[in-house]
Amino acid sequence: MGRYLAVRIGRAALTIVLVVTFAFVVLRLSGDPALMILGPEAPPEVLAAFRKAWGLDDPIWAQYFDYFGAIAKGELGRSMRDGRPAIELVLERIPATLALTLPAFFFKVALGIPAGIYAALHRGSGIDRAVMMTAVAGFTVPSFVLALLLVLIFAVQLGWLPSGGQDSWRHAILPIATLSLGGAAVLARFTRSAMLEVLGQPYIRTASAKGVPWRKVVTSHALPNAAIPTVTILGFMVGTLIAGAVVVESVFAWPGVGRLLVVAVANRDLAVVQCILLLVAMTMVTSNLIVDFLYGFLDPRLRSKGAHA
């Protein structure tokens, strides 16, 4: 098990380095922060002084090594807009993002997994078809379209809920619903597929033929084996808690990390963008490590395979 985890941790560290490197290069090739922040009307000497102050006139390879050296010291840079530490700006926004994503994750699990299990156990029924139609619709509709549709219905037409902001708990209902419905649809679809695959295995038929009660067959044999692919989807959803809120926070004017990322990208605020991307990468990598650990726990055969991968 130790070797299995060591291989996964090594791959995780390499993934973070590659993500940070890709973000670093792309951000510096996408535009001049001096022009975005000071404007094209700024005098050339002012632009030159700004670039020198922030190290933007150094070769890109020098900026790259300086950036990783700063990360090694625990420094993630300062915002070019107001000079504050980038990590400070990001940490201020995390509570607002978690106020949406954590309840949304709970509702995804509470709705999606039971719906998928029920649909699999009643395959071909009207409820199964209804669940799958809803799942396909939720899976294919983009989040911004769903967000605008919910605003149109519940905020504009019915006037039951506010269309944006963060003044009260009522403002969180539509963003949470937007984040929940798509994820619940994905979970329902994958849970149903996993359950149907397990229910078709010979050991399920053998257990039923031996007279084992169907409820016990489902709870003791089908559900544990169907949990492995479902854990993969859950790990991915945990990893995208922050990244998945970018569109929703922008539509509903919610002051979280996702909206901060959009503003920072538009302003070429490099340190803030890099800090958020590093946070997202670490979140996704950590969730994948947890999934790998759960894989090894749920299926010991994967440990021996993973150790030699």
Side-chain angles (χ1 to χ4, degrees):
M1 190 65 178
R3 186 177 178 184
Y4 173 83
L5 290 178
V7 171
R8 266 47 189 183
I9 292 173
R11 291 178 178 176
L14 178 60
T15 300
I16 291 177
V17 172
L18 292 177
V19 168
V20 172
T21 300
F22 178 78
F24 181 92
V25 174
V26 169
L27 285 172
R28 277 152 183 80
L29 296 179
S30 62
D32 186 356
L35 291 175
M36 294 298 300
I37 294 175
L38 300 179
E41 305 86 7
E45 58 272 15
V46 174
L47 294 174
F50 182 91
R51 296 188 185 103
K52 183 175 180 60
W54 291 98
L56 299 175
D57 57 349
D58 294 334
I60 190 170
W61 61 265
Q63 297 181 46
Y64 178 78
F65 285 112
D66 288 343
Y67 176 61
F68 269 91
I71 290 180
K73 298 176 184 177
E75 301 173 2
L76 298 179
R78 290 181 173 271
S79 169
M80 293 180 181
R81 301 289 297 183
D82 55 16
R84 296 176 59 193
I87 186 63
E88 184 178 306
L89 293 172
V90 174
L91 291 177
E92 286 179 355
R93 301 294 189 102
I94 286 181
T97 295
L98 294 181
L100 294 184
T101 55
L102 291 182
F105 182 79
F106 169 79
F107 287 119
K108 288 177 189 178
V109 175
L111 294 174
I113 292 180
I117 293 173
Y118 191 86
L121 295 177
H122 298 82
R123 184 179 184 181
S125 66
I127 294 179
D128 179 30
R129 289 191 290 270
V131 168
M132 290 310 299
M133 288 178 60
T134 304
V136 170
F139 183 76
T140 55
V141 174
S143 58
F144 73 91
V145 173
L146 179 59
L148 295 175
L149 181 62
L150 293 178
V151 168
L152 179 64
I153 295 174
F154 294 101
V156 177
Q157 297 293 335
L158 299 177
W160 291 352
L161 297 169
S163 60
Q166 195 197 14
D167 296 333
S168 68
W169 62 269
R170 297 176 67 249
H171 290 77
I173 294 178
L174 290 182
I176 290 175
T178 304
L179 290 170
S180 301
L181 294 176
V186 172
L187 271 178
R189 182 180 178 185
F190 277 89
T191 302
R192 177 183 181 274
S193 298
M195 280 293 294
L196 288 177
E197 182 177 354
V198 171
L199 291 174
Q201 295 299 315
Y203 60 84
I204 297 293
R205 294 192 294 269
T206 300
S208 299
K210 289 182 177 180
V212 178
W214 180 244
R215 181 183 296 272
K216 187 174 181 180
V217 171
V218 172
T219 56
S220 300
H221 300 282
L223 288 179
N225 288 282
I228 293 179
T230 305
V231 164
T232 304
I233 303 301
L234 288 175
F236 176 78
M237 288 182 174
V238 171
T240 57
L241 285 179
I242 296 176
V246 171
V247 173
V248 172
E249 289 184 358
S250 298
V251 172
F252 291 101
W254 190 267
V257 177
R259 192 177 179 199
L260 176 64
L261 176 61
V262 173
V263 174
V265 169
N267 294 327
R268 298 297 188 276
D269 199 345
L270 302 183
V272 176
V273 176
Q274 290 168 170
C275 183
I276 295 175
L277 293 180
L278 179 61
L279 176 64
V280 171
M282 292 182 66
T283 303
M284 297 190 70
V285 166
T286 301
S287 66
N288 286 332
L289 278 176
I290 295 173
V291 168
D292 285 337
F293 174 78
L294 291 176
Y295 272 3
F297 178 77
L298 292 171
D299 190 348
R301 295 172 300 176
L302 296 176
R303 295 200 291 266
S304 59
K305 293 180 181 178
H308 301 286

